[in-house]
Amino acid sequence: IKEAVVSGQPQEVFERVVKQFPFAARFWIAYADWCEQQETAQAMAVYHRCLQQVPSLDLWTSYLGFCKRFYSVEDVLRGYQRALDLLGMDPRAGLMWAEYLSLLKHIYNAQQRKENPDADVCGKLLAQDANPVEAARRTMKPNLRKRIEGTKAADLSEEELLRVGEVLNIDQPFLRTVFQRAASAAHSAMEKLWVGYEQFEKSL
């Protein structure tokens, strides 16, 4: 595969490899990574072919990274929901839960600020990490970043977070359910998630 990539014409080789090893996540990831450099839609087509048949945390993590780079906040959240429905009980899923909850907390805090301009001094806002979408885009090469300039995917404003929260019905019961689901799985982010959950309940 490496030789084919260097030659600049690896697609036929990738197709033969994934047909021979259809459940090998690392080959699908390498194929999607190469396609991402060529065209966003081409990479998404590769992911669509393998995600459901290969329940691999590494593959889904790669897919979510791709979504964070090129797709809207709404699409990213839907991707996390799909991934965690499938792999949320995996002991290595801690980072996935933490990033999903980080995005949800950004939306929740935007909702709280809209309802109460004094939310930040009333203890209503949740401690939040950096937006994982913003973090993913900071490391993008300029030529790739240009693909999303001026598109819906580029909008990470508070207004967009509020819109997504309304579309996906993200509210207090929703956030509580996600915290409880995350806390029921044994993973490395457990302690941090419990701290976040306790703060959430105390803020109500």
Side-chain angles (χ1 to χ4, degrees):
I1 291 177
K2 289 181 180 179
E3 292 177 358
V5 171
V6 171
S7 74
Q9 299 292 330
Q11 192 159 3
E12 289 185 9
V13 175
F14 275 123
E15 285 294 336
R16 289 201 301 270
V17 170
V18 297
K19 285 178 182 176
Q20 186 173 357
F21 304 101
F23 301 106
R26 63 192 180 97
F27 294 134
W28 285 109
I29 292 170
Y31 192 5
D33 285 346
W34 177 80
C35 288
E36 181 180 324
Q37 304 304 312
Q38 318 309 312
E39 185 183 347
T40 304
Q42 191 176 346
M44 180 59 85
V46 170
Y47 281 118
H48 280 167
R49 289 170 58 189
C50 61
L51 284 173
Q52 290 306 123
Q53 72 183 39
V54 186
S56 158
L57 190 72
D58 292 334
L59 176 61
W60 277 86
T61 298
S62 176
Y63 168 68
L64 291 173
F66 168 72
C67 289
K68 284 181 287 187
R69 290 188 290 276
F70 295 102
Y71 286 85
S72 68
V73 172
E74 181 179 343
D75 290 332
V76 171
L77 281 168
R78 292 185 189 279
Y80 274 104
Q81 289 170 350
R82 289 177 61 202
L84 290 165
D85 284 346
L86 186 67
L87 296 162
M89 299 304 290
D90 190 302
R92 298 183 299 140
L95 180 59
M96 193 176 285
W97 279 113
E99 290 188 346
Y100 180 45
L101 278 162
S102 177
L103 271 177
L104 293 179
K105 286 191 283 187
H106 277 270
I107 291 173
Y108 180 81
N109 283 347
Q111 294 168 334
Q112 294 301 306
R113 282 189 289 268
K114 181 181 179 182
E115 293 174 7
N116 180 4
D118 297 322
D120 56 339
V121 296
C122 297
K124 293 293 185 181
L125 300 186
L126 304 180
Q128 59 186 34
D129 297 321
N131 185 321
V133 177
E134 292 178 342
R137 292 180 184 179
R138 277 197 294 271
T139 61
M140 289 176 71
K141 295 179 180 178
N143 64 311
L144 297 181
R145 195 178 296 115
K146 285 183 179 179
R147 293 185 195 171
I148 63 171
E149 288 179 359
T151 69
K152 182 181 177 182
D155 189 357
L156 302 178
S157 66
E158 189 141 309
E159 290 75 15
E160 174 64 4
L161 295 181
L162 289 168
R163 186 196 69 80
V164 172
E166 186 173 348
V167 169
L168 299 182
N169 297 313
I170 296 169
D171 53 16
Q172 289 178 354
F174 182 95
L175 192 54
R176 177 180 287 114
T177 298
V178 175
F179 267 121
Q180 292 174 347
R181 284 183 61 202
S184 69
H187 50 69
S188 59
M190 180 67 73
E191 184 176 345
K192 181 178 180 179
L193 293 181
W194 265 113
V195 170
Y197 182 34
E198 288 178 354
Q199 189 208 3
F200 167 70
E201 292 293 357
K202 289 176 182 178
S203 73
L204 301 180

